[in-house]
Amino acid sequence: MSFVEELRWRGMLHDIMPGTEELLNKGMASGYIGFDPTADSLHVGSLATIMTLIHFQRAGHKPYALVGGATGMVGDPSGKSAERSLLSEDALAVNLKGIQSQLERFLDFNSGENSAEIVNNYDWFKEFSFLHFIRDVGKHLTVNYMMAKDSVKSRLSGDSGMSFTEFSYQLIQGYDFYYLWKNKNCVIQMGGSDQWGNIVTGTELIRRKDAGEAYALTTQLIKKADGAKFGKSEGGNIWLDETKTSPYKFYQFWLNATDEDVKKFIRIFTLLDRETIEAMEAEHDAAPHQRALQKTLAKDITIRVHGEAAYEKAIQSSDFLFGNTGIEFLSELTNEEVLGIFEGVPNYTVQLADMQQGVNVLDLLAAQTAVFASKGEAKKMIQGGGAAVNKTKITSPEATYTAEDLINNKFLVVQKGKKNYFLIIAE
RNA sequence: GGGGGGAUACCAGAGCGGUCAAAUGGGACGGACUGUAAAUCCGUUGCUUCGGCUACGAAGGUUCGAAUCCUUCUCCCCCCA
């Protein structure tokens, strides 16, 4: 199946420039996607564009992943309603490194002529002087053209204005495309649908500067069925970096996808073929409570991002935390095994001596640990029946816990709501 | 340069001298139901040693008492030139 057909049935395709499909069907082509170094890790939102690159390579084309060492210094105004603050160059360097090492996990860098490559646009911008840039690049595009872009238009009509720096962003990204086209024979740029304007500036530059042909393709922005932004959970982003989002939490994020979303996600985020997915959907509809789709989705992505071992651990933790296993189960484990199960679950340390004296729940959960932000919140939550210790609901804000309650004389398992677990370690 | 309007909790937005820790809606969080779904319903949404304390753009002032009135400042919007 061709690359474009693949994206199409998976529901990933958003927009494609005429001629793109024909070109790709003629044989191997090179294409790229840029990644913004706005943080030191990619998140699940970037995963969709990574999948695009993976499909691109699997279809026999040569993928380039561009990390934006130069563009990151300017800041993409697309989708932003206000001027962004600039990242320091130090922070940028850290971010670039983090993102680059993550990208390396997903693509095949050893597959002959269509091996993936990672490039950094800082490499061709660092020696490019401002004067040469405005002569060689800026001269080819009119301000009128640049102002017609949505990302610029919306800012000009808004209240916050737009700096020259951000206005010029599209030229920088446009030149990236030109550079890769010229030097790496890169004929297509891909990206999320919000990147269409920037990408087309590139094809336009290539046309006007060298009368060359280049192509563009964008993918659907992922939204949840209820319209909410994809990739957030309990107030935080879901990152690919295991120190920012533990594999357990990562696994849980996918496992909790709604029935409606999961059918979309499994097409976008896994490489399973159409027959397999459709068969699985039928199975899911017959027994939705088994959540076969969610489990498959979560497994597939967790393994791809964090590896088999991390997945096994996530399963083990999930089985204990959400399965029928009673709290007694923990007493049969060694301390190391308990810690293993709770790896990725936030934990706090308290004094064993205090526990021997007995500690009031509010002090325990809001003062000695940060399970709750304040005693008031803890109190309300307990009164609302939303907190539990060792899988047993806390009945009153006056309750006291002692060393007697510790499992293995060391652990206390705390739940805030049904899904948020905390481990308290007494030592 | 002249004239007018505005700034309230995560967001939107009421309140215009005491009954205001501040209506209402959204969001977020929790509970029930369930499948660790969706929908629905219910509850919570400043801190507290529960005596109070800090809060309505900032700083002062009037008053027994201010989110509400006055002064100055900062920022935003609109109209005229």
Side-chain angles (χ1 to χ4, degrees):
Chain A
M1 189 182 302
S2 84
F3 171 64
V4 176
E5 281 166 32
E6 184 84 46
L7 294 189
R8 209 172 263 142
W9 82 259
R10 288 182 185 272
M12 294 168 78
L13 193 66
H14 183 262
D15 213 340
I16 180 163
M17 199 173 267
T20 307
E21 194 166 4
E22 292 74 5
L23 173 91
L24 291 175
N25 287 341
K26 270 192 275 182
M28 190 185 96
S30 298
Y32 90 97
I33 294 184
F35 295 87
D36 251 349
T38 46
D40 61 359
S41 167
L42 297 168
H43 50 86
V44 290
S46 344
L47 210 49
T49 35
I50 292 174
M51 292 309 294
T52 309
L53 227 40
I54 292 176
H55 285 301
F56 191 70
Q57 184 169 36
R58 282 165 58 101
H61 302 294
K62 182 174 172 68
Y64 285 89
L66 179 150
V67 291
T71 29
M73 294 193 48
V74 174
D76 185 359
S78 302
K80 298 281 186 296
S81 59
E83 185 81 12
R84 301 201 308 191
S85 46
L86 289 173
L87 285 163
S88 76
E89 294 191 33
D90 289 348
L92 209 56
V94 170
N95 293 354
L96 281 168
K97 223 175 127 201
I99 286 173
Q100 183 159 348
S101 70
Q102 286 178 348
L103 286 170
E104 283 166 0
R105 290 209 289 258
F106 298 103
L107 297 163
D108 188 348
F109 292 85
N110 212 343
S111 64
E113 60 174 359
N114 76 329
S115 291
E117 277 186 45
I118 291 183
V119 291
N120 182 346
N121 57 12
Y122 185 72
D123 291 338
W124 53 85
F125 270 109
K126 64 184 173 200
E127 303 295 339
F128 207 163
S129 80
F130 179 73
L131 284 175
H132 284 110
F133 183 76
I134 56 177
R135 281 175 68 91
D136 295 348
V137 180
K139 195 68 177 169
H140 296 283
L141 293 168
T142 63
V143 169
N144 311 51
Y145 176 81
M146 292 170 70
M147 292 214 303
K149 304 281 178 190
D150 283 345
S151 59
V152 174
K153 233 188 327 190
S154 63
R155 287 279 291 278
L156 292 181
S157 60
D159 341 313
S160 56
M162 179 180 220
S163 67
F164 176 73
T165 307
E166 283 194 15
F167 176 63
S168 59
Y169 177 89
Q170 56 173 302
L171 282 186
I172 317 270
Q173 184 169 331
Y175 180 74
D176 281 343
F177 197 0
Y178 174 81
Y179 181 91
L180 290 173
W181 174 82
K182 186 94 176 163
N183 297 287
K184 302 271 190 182
N185 195 27
C186 205
V187 289
I188 170 166
Q189 183 182 171
M190 297 162 282
S193 57
D194 58 332
Q195 289 301 308
W196 183 257
N198 289 333
I199 294 173
V200 170
T201 298
T203 61
E204 192 64 19
L205 183 65
I206 290 166
R207 178 173 305 124
R208 297 201 190 174
K209 194 166 154 60
D210 279 19
E213 277 301 321
Y215 300 88
L217 177 152
T218 55
T219 51
Q220 297 282 355
L221 219 62
I222 301 168
K223 272 209 291 265
K224 294 202 281 186
D226 59 9
K229 207 171 160 189
F230 165 76
K232 297 234 173 188
S233 160
E234 287 135 39
N237 265 321
I238 301 296
W239 301 96
L240 302 193
D241 181 343
E242 64 180 30
T243 63
K244 293 170 101 83
T245 300
S246 67
Y248 157 74
K249 217 176 154 201
F250 187 83
Y251 176 81
Q252 285 288 324
F253 169 77
W254 298 103
L255 190 70
N256 277 302
T258 66
D259 287 4
E260 216 173 329
D261 287 334
V262 77
K263 295 182 179 175
K264 213 161 59 184
F265 293 171
I266 201 154
R267 287 173 164 75
I268 297 173
F269 295 105
T270 75
L271 295 171
L272 300 173
D273 62 45
R274 194 167 194 166
E275 290 68 35
T276 310
I277 288 177
E278 282 169 1
M280 207 175 286
E281 276 173 346
E283 194 186 314
H284 183 273
D285 290 338
H289 61 280
Q290 297 291 336
R291 293 187 299 154
L293 284 174
Q294 280 92 341
K295 284 179 184 162
T296 309
L297 172 74
K299 176 181 177 182
D300 195 277
I301 309 182
T302 306
I303 290 177
R304 183 151 353 90
V305 174
H306 293 299
E308 189 92 36
Y311 162 73
E312 295 295 344
K313 270 192 181 166
I315 285 285
Q316 200 189 9
S317 306
S318 299
D319 282 351
F320 169 72
L321 298 175
F322 294 101
N324 295 320
T325 327
I327 194 78
E328 321 74 56
F329 171 70
L330 287 185
S331 337
E332 295 160 23
L333 302 178
T334 65
N335 288 347
E336 284 65 37
E337 286 171 325
V338 174
L339 288 170
I341 283 184
F342 283 90
E343 197 180 306
V345 171
N347 62 74
Y348 299 99
T349 307
V350 297
Q351 297 297 316
L352 183 57
D354 289 344
M355 289 304 295
Q356 281 159 347
Q357 306 268 312
V359 183
N360 166 266
V361 241
L362 300 183
D363 287 320
L364 183 68
L365 302 181
Q368 300 193 10
T369 65
V371 173
F372 294 101
S374 70
K375 288 190 185 178
E377 190 192 319
K379 200 166 159 183
K380 281 169 198 152
M381 200 68 95
I382 289 168
Q383 284 167 343
V389 167
N390 292 344
K391 290 201 169 184
T392 307
K393 264 185 190 166
I394 303 169
T395 47
S396 143
E398 255 93 83
T400 298
Y401 288 90
T402 68
E404 299 280 292
D405 299 300
L406 293 171
I407 295 161
N408 294 0
N409 202 34
K410 197 173 179 63
F411 303 111
L412 224 44
V413 177
V414 182
Q415 270 167 283
K416 178 162 84 177
K418 222 173 297 185
K419 299 181 188 173
N420 301 298
Y421 279 87
F422 302 86
L423 181 68
I424 293 179
I425 305 165
E427 45 181 49

